Amino acid sequence: MAIQRVVIKNYRALKTADVVFNEGVNVVVGDNEAGKSTLLEAINLALRGQLNRRAIQYELHPFLINVDAVSQFIEAHRQGNPTAPPEISIEVFLADTPDVAALRGSNNSEKADACGVSLSIRLDEAFQAEFASYVANPAALNSVPIEYYKVVWESFAGASLSVQSMPLKTA
């Protein structure tokens, strides 16, 4: 299995990232705190559904969301121009091989027919009323209500994923 491309939005230090990998060995370099480890962590998160060796559902906290995205969300509400809460999106595009054929589909941000997986952390529609109450007083708003978020982990085919159903192993 070869990773061809990773597209990340609002994950930790990475507000946006679109990384294309070459066949063979790839070297990721950059300054301290540039997002090198975050890139690898995001790939592992999308392929395993885990953070710190625990299911991501149990590791959710507001600091997973890019600080600039959170600041823009808060500022927009304080300015009277409320925006949707920021979401995390991680897409991993894989080389088309028989062992990942079940992951093929167009359920990705580009609607491209490809093999891959996506993991998003976004507001759970079931908590719309609670969210509305949370943002009702913009002056008191200082974070995102991560307790109203959900994790959606799917193949590009649109199938929900679990650790048991994932045809890949990572190291």
Side-chain angles (χ1 to χ4, degrees), residues 53-86:
R53 296 186 178 195
R54 292 173 41 110
I56 184 60
Q57 292 86 342
Y58 303 112
E59 292 291 315
L60 290 181
H61 56 81
F63 304 111
L64 291 176
I65 302 172
N66 179 270
V67 68
D68 291 334
V70 172
S71 295
Q72 289 171 353
F73 166 74
I74 293 169
E75 189 58 29
H77 279 267
R78 289 183 178 163
Q79 296 294 327
N81 300 314
T83 61

Side-chain angles (χ1 to χ4, degrees), residues 15-28:
K15 181 141 175 72
T16 60
D18 189 340
V19 180
V20 178
F21 293 98
N22 299 313
E23 287 188 35
V25 176
N26 290 270
V27 179
V28 179

Side-chain angles (χ1 to χ4, degrees), residues 26-45:
N26 290 270
V27 179
V28 179
V29 295
D31 292 335
N32 288 344
E33 302 298 318
K36 301 176 302 289
S37 296
T38 302
L39 172 66
L40 298 175
E41 183 178 88
I43 292 169
N44 187 63
L45 177 57

Side-chain angles (χ1 to χ4, degrees), residues 113-124:
D113 185 33
C115 288
V117 298
S118 68
L119 185 135
S120 65
I121 301 172
R122 59 184 183 234
L123 184 66
D124 187 337

